Amino acid sequence: MLILVTNDDGVRSPGLRALALALGEIGDVVVVAPDRNRSAVGHALTLDQPLRAEEIKTDVFAVDGTPTDCVNLGIHGLLSQRPDLVVSGINGGLNVGDDISYSGTVCAALEATLMGLPAFAISLDTSGWNKTDLSVAAQFAKKLALDIINHGLPEETFLNVNIPRGGCSGVELTTQGKRKYSETVIVKEDPRGRKYYWIGGTEAGFVDLSGSDCNAVQRGFISVTPVRTNMTHEKSYIVMQQKLFDCLKDNA
Amino acid sequence: MLILVTNDDGVRSPGLRALALALGEIGDVVVVAPDRNRSAVGHALTLDQPLRAEEIKTDVFAVDGTPTDCVNLGIHGLLSQRPDLVVSGINGGLNVGDDISYSGTVCAALEATLMGLPAFAISLDTSGWNKTDLSVAAQFAKKLALDIINHGLPEETFLNVNIPRGGCSGVELTTQGKRKYSETVIVKEDPRGRKYYWIGGTEAGFVDLSGSDCNAVQRGFISVTPVRTNMTHEKSYIVMQQKLFDCLKDNA
Amino acid sequence: MLILVTNDDGVRSPGLRALALALGEIGDVVVVAPDRNRSAVGHALTLDQPLRAEEIKTDVFAVDGTPTDCVNLGIHGLLSQRPDLVVSGINGGLNVGDDISYSGTVCAALEATLMGLPAFAISLDTSGWNKTDLSVAAQFAKKLALDIINHGLPEETFLNVNIPRGGCSGVELTTQGKRKYSETVIVKEDPRGRKYYWIGGTEAGFVDLSGSDCNAVQRGFISVTPVRTNMTHEKSYIVMQQKLFDCLKDNA
Amino acid sequence: MLILVTNDDGVRSPGLRALALALGEIGDVVVVAPDRNRSAVGHALTLDQPLRAEEIKTDVFAVDGTPTDCVNLGIHGLLSQRPDLVVSGINGGLNVGDDISYSGTVCAALEATLMGLPAFAISLDTSGWNKTDLSVAAQFAKKLALDIINHGLPEETFLNVNIPRGGCSGVELTTQGKRKYSETVIVKEDPRGRKYYWIGGTEAGFVDLSGSDCNAVQRGFISVTPVRTNMTHEKSYIVMQQKLFDCLKDNA
């Protein structure tokens, strides 16, 4: 079994190392990951510039691109055969609620799914890579990988996994929750008198949604959310059919 | 009415200009757009570096960030009040099928929706900005903007609009289709003997899905797809509840 | 006569436009300049990534590289024949004293000289592109260009020209002076609690050196400094011959 | 004695490690180096964006900037006291002839000199970090550092050192030579049909100049060139005084 491992924290992240090590117990692992931190790059794909891939040690490639680039380049350019599974993480910090479309780690799993491969993303609530928590995450990744290999995943679906810090009380199948963000932009002035802006993004907790990933992790459970690649809003589609939108009536 | 306009082709794109001009007929328009082409950056958000915003002419800001940055910074930092609508485009090239999660243009509308604002993205099948086609797109944007202002949009939903080239036969409410990609990575060698890789991404047509955006545009119709911000796969959630995943049974 | 014009403020700078216009009166001008501001990039050359050149209007190329890249690519890739002269500027802000090795504008002239072409860099003491000052600079550039075409420049030498603001009292042949910098780095914390650093670089005046570019401009004169491409310090070479450096005696 | 060590190949380069180790035998070493390869960035200084510095291990800082940034930030922001010496290298590849103004490694030594500190740059003719050669280079760096500490350097001067491969026959005080470059730009087309350009820069040997760094290294000698920070061309200054430049006669 061949497993492609990537992340968005960069090829030297302890989370990636722990993940690759654990998965190495059940298959052959090839790491293709960004050469530096590429957090919050979403599903960005590099089309305007070519990419470089340096094999920094056997079966570990550092790529000067995004996590999505790494999956794409790994599958079509670097791996000798098509992998059986793609795993992205272990991310330093949760990817729950609306965070997931920003997350390079999650979008790497999305990319793999678009290419027809089973995949999951895994993230840990951490600020300093606590060893016990990291081990919980890595061991869970290994078990989940085996489950996926044995039972498969539903079509056009990948899993987004989040691990709480400080030990976990169990595992929950969850839905995507909703983070609250403090909506601020911070304005400053540089030493040459020119303004610059920081996007705030400080977390202000999450909306209390029963069954959500946010709630599960908050209560000390590992959350496992099935995520779709098709973004059509079916219910809104039906609502829209009944809307009185003039422009939707323009048929020649 | 205040309308925030952005795109991913950059602040100097003819598509953006045509859109801002058309929307200027029904409201006050402020443009906040990338200072250069930022296509295919997905939902990337710049958190590690601050942003610059230069007002290159009245109510036109060039930002050294992604489309998502532009929407975020526009709403929280540059506009004097919260806009009533966010419109992203007119993109040079379609954004249909699985393309939409890569598209900076589409993800700008996603960002606005996450912030609770009605939004749509609009893209045109073009390679050289045909004037008639551009005018069709701009006029449709204006009509859709009025419809949204009058009737609102369903919750957690934005619209992804695609305009065919060479005149249109009508408008269709659509679902997200599926592009086929030729799965290739091209390997070359630079003048100093080092390998580099181009992600292929050449289009190989689309899967024939009745009711999809791809099919509508192919047949000469404008497609309007309602897109969701919540990426939970509800059907797969139910499937997963019945899966025999060992790791989902681990509850302390 | 074919003149290649570049700068480091970017292809849309008013300084570049004024320069190209003035030089257009005495020859054919092709502009090859960075697509955005690339100030303070020194003699940086892009070897790891390929470059793009977009002809944004006839004989005006925007390149996604440094000023040095622009000169190199212009001469070897974009121009139909070898130019007779390369002029870089008009830079917004002086390039005097030790600034010149940091300056993308000055290093563009250095690059041209290394390629065997006569060249000069021209900079204006400005913060808002005063029209009269800009016109003084552009007219001086035209006259100097004619002088160079007529009389040539000494070998391995280019000229670094600086124009004072508010009218000029004359022209002086000068030597490179010495700026004083306030030696500071400013430490701040981003919204996510991570430190970042601004390099200070606020000017603290200049050393009073008779005959220097700093002094000339300060007194309202245009300064013209002959700059070398060979950086050997000949006097120090002689001093070093007499130094008691042990390691210089190691001859097998 | 406190020694600041930097380079342009990045903080993880074997050349940097060997240098830091050797200099650690004669003083306290703090490494402040780019977080990735930043070759050929010249004297580029980052003024538009702030910098990050991560202490990846004790007294080893990875900075997301240029070598010049590293020296500036190291001296004014990271080191607890002003260093006694700045050493840049060991660069992978020679920096001789006209290369030196492009070289980030050499310009780091230039930056230190502008700040009034003794400095040298050291480069090795290598393609795969031969251990013996690397050791020769590191040992020479140590001896030169001691010489500089004991005897000082002439004002406004730093040393540019180049080490031949395959053992050395001795040490020579040299002048800056002249590389020949094959003047080419290579044009290609990306998978989407858009042109891109590689700056050629393939070496075509060097001009045969007695006493030059190129010649010394070619003959198997270590070259030591005293390099100036002041770029005035004194001889050309005198020539220019006698030139019939009309524009130099314009004195109000």
Side-chain angles (χ1 to χ4, degrees), chain A residues 102 111 143 157 236 250, chain B residues 102 111 143 157 176 236 250:
Chain A
Y102 301 103
E111 182 72 3
K143 288 175 72 175
T157 304
S236 293
D250 286 342
Chain B
Y102 301 104
E111 181 72 2
K143 287 175 73 175
T157 304
Q176 180 188 327
S236 293
D250 286 342

Side-chain angles (χ1 to χ4, degrees), chain D residues 2 13 17 22 27-28 54 57 59 62 83 103 106 118 141 144-145 147 151 155 160 172-173 205 209 215 221 240:
Chain D
L2 181 60
S13 159
R17 263 205 309 273
D28 295 322
E54 192 190 352
K57 57 184 182 177
D59 288 338
S103 163
V106 173
L144 180 54
D147 275 333
H151 303 289
E155 272 214 344
N160 180 38
E172 271 188 28
L173 194 64
L209 281 171
N215 280 37
F221 281 75
M240 290 289 298

Side-chain angles (χ1 to χ4, degrees), chain D:
Chain D
M1 180 170 53
L2 181 60
I3 306 173
L4 172 58
V5 168
T6 191
N7 75 345
D8 75 2
D9 289 333
V11 71
R12 293 173 209 281
S13 159
L16 179 89
R17 263 205 309 273
L19 178 62
L21 219 62
L23 294 176
E25 296 169 15
I26 59 167
D28 295 322
V29 168
V30 178
V31 172
V32 184
D35 60 359
R36 54 185 179 277
N37 190 314
R38 298 300 296 264
S39 293
V41 295
H43 200 207
L45 185 67
T46 304
L47 297 175
D48 264 14
Q49 285 289 339
L51 298 168
R52 304 283 189 171
E54 192 190 352
E55 191 166 7
I56 57 176
K57 57 184 182 177
T58 307
D59 288 338
V60 179
F61 294 87
V63 172
D64 61 342
T66 66
T68 294
D69 291 334
C70 290
V71 170
N72 197 308
L73 181 59
I75 294 173
H76 299 135
L78 299 176
L79 271 64
S80 54
Q81 58 178 98
R82 201 167 156 83
D84 301 289
L85 180 67
V86 176
V87 186
S88 179
I90 299 168
N91 190 64
L94 294 175
N95 280 306
V96 293
D98 301 322
D99 290 3
I100 73 178
S101 56
Y102 301 103
S103 163
T105 298
V106 173
C107 289
L110 167 60
E111 181 72 3
T113 314
L114 290 176
M115 291 175 174
L117 292 168
F120 67 91
I122 180 163
S123 306
L124 173 62
D125 187 10
T126 183
S127 52
W129 297 114
N130 176 280
K131 274 189 188 170
T132 312
D133 289 349
L134 195 51
S135 168
V136 167
Q139 288 310 308
F140 186 78
K142 193 171 76 176
K143 287 176 72 175
L144 180 54
L146 285 173
D147 275 333
I148 291 176
I149 293 298
N150 290 333
H151 303 289
L153 281 176
E155 272 214 344
E156 304 193 354
T157 304
F158 66 92
L159 300 180
N160 180 38
V161 177
N162 282 277
I163 312 283
R165 66 168 76 198
C168 69
S169 316
V171 185
E172 271 188 28
L173 194 64
T174 48
T175 55
Q176 180 187 327
K178 222 170 161 47
R179 273 261 185 101
K180 290 183 209 159
Y181 283 89
S182 64
E183 304 204 342
T184 47
V185 158
I186 293 159
V187 193
K188 299 206 166 183
E189 210 168 85
D190 75 19
R192 282 151 290 277
R194 291 183 56 219
K195 271 190 198 168
Y196 62 94
Y197 302 86
W198 283 106
I199 288 184
T202 322
E203 303 156 26
F206 55 87
V207 182
D208 183 11
L209 281 171
S210 172
S212 71
D213 48 11
C214 303
N215 280 37
V217 171
Q218 164 88 348
R219 288 170 31 245
F221 281 75
I222 293 175
S223 75
V224 178
T225 305
V227 182
R228 50 198 297 150
T229 59
N230 188 303
M231 291 169 71
T232 310
H233 200 313
E234 292 87 355
K235 283 184 195 158
S236 293
Y237 180 93
I238 294 165
V239 173
M240 290 289 298
Q241 283 182 314
Q242 297 151 357
K243 282 244 172 199
L244 304 170
F245 272 32
D246 287 331
C247 72
L248 288 174
K249 296 173 196 149
D250 285 342
N251 287 298

Side-chain angles (χ1 to χ4, degrees), chain A residues 140-151:
Chain A
F140 186 78
K142 193 171 74 176
K143 288 175 72 175
L144 180 55
L146 285 172
D147 274 335
I148 292 175
I149 293 298
N150 290 333
H151 303 289

